[in-house]
Amino acid sequence: MTLERVPQEVSPELAAAAPETAPDARDAEVKSLVDRLQRLQAEFENYRKRMARDVAVLVERASDEEIVEFLPIYEHLGRALAAFASETDVDALTEGVRRVAALFEQLLERRGVRRMAAVGERFDPERHEAVLSVASDRESGVIVEEIAPGYARGERILVPCRVAVSRGPDPDKKEET
């Protein structure tokens, strides 16, 4: 490999060197700098790989923590189904499912998740997903029905509300007097 000679500033040490040894000293300095650059590049690559592994471990631990929070709910649901299978008591199953729903609500509250209200509000495409457009006595653009609830955490929308939006009164329908 041949290095092209590029004019560069000469360090004070090189300037003091004899003219006949200056090219050799420059070559040594260039080799030293290239070697240092290669080591830094290798260190950075190792750092990048280590950070990727650390992030993967953190993501896995966070996932494990979430799973641990859901396990009691899963167990309660299993007990409710087992009680129904052995007793065929609909009331016992209903009560078990109510308890599971309550546990889910508590978990969501602890996580700061809240259900968003939609009916009666103006349609906002950032918070709502329109699945129907219906004629109604409400003005156009107002949500008249919630098809599926939406959820938010703080100001961030996790799941938009799926809604039916009014398109205003039906023009074909005549007003009755």
Side-chain angles (χ1 to χ4, degrees):
M1 177 166 108
T2 308
L3 294 176
E4 291 184 29
R5 300 220 182 252
V6 178
Q8 54 183 303
E9 289 186 27
V10 178
S11 65
E13 296 84 23
L14 289 177
E20 61 274 354
T21 61
D24 291 336
R26 271 194 235 129
D27 287 345
E29 185 176 9
V30 166
K31 279 185 177 182
S32 171
L33 290 173
V34 167
D35 184 50
R36 183 174 172 208
L37 179 62
Q38 288 173 338
R39 277 194 309 268
L40 285 172
Q41 186 176 16
E43 286 177 21
F44 178 74
E45 197 58 33
N46 290 338
Y47 169 79
R48 190 184 61 76
K49 288 176 184 176
R50 189 173 56 250
M51 287 289 95
R53 280 192 309 266
D54 290 351
V55 166
V57 167
L58 287 174
V59 166
E60 188 174 342
R61 285 184 183 162
S63 179
D64 289 348
E65 288 176 18
E66 288 179 351
I67 290 169
V68 167
E69 286 192 75
F70 279 100
L71 287 176
I73 298 169
Y74 177 72
E75 294 297 322
H76 276 77
L77 186 59
R79 282 195 285 278
L81 291 172
F84 179 70
S86 67
E87 298 176 21
T88 63
D89 181 8
V90 175
D91 291 335
L93 177 65
T94 303
E95 181 58 30
V97 171
R98 274 195 194 108
R99 288 181 183 171
V100 169
L103 288 172
F104 262 117
E105 286 179 27
Q106 291 170 6
L107 174 64
L108 293 174
E109 282 179 22
R110 283 195 312 269
R111 295 290 185 126
V113 176
R114 64 178 166 73
R115 187 175 178 161
M116 298 186 303
V119 176
E121 292 185 3
R122 298 232 21 104
F123 176 76
D124 178 356
E126 291 185 18
R127 300 182 57 221
H128 309 118
E129 178 183 340
V131 294
L132 291 172
S133 174
V134 296
S136 77
D137 58 347
R138 310 289 303 267
E139 76 176 275
S140 178
V142 173
I143 297 169
V144 293
E145 183 183 355
E146 182 180 285
I147 308 299
Y151 296 91
R153 186 174 185 188
E155 295 300 313
R156 191 174 60 242
I157 306 300
L158 300 174
V159 177
C161 298
R162 299 182 77 202
V163 297
V165 181
S166 173
R167 64 175 175 256
D170 191 356
D172 294 338
K173 187 176 180 182
K174 303 218 183 218
E175 285 189 32
E176 295 179 22
T177 52

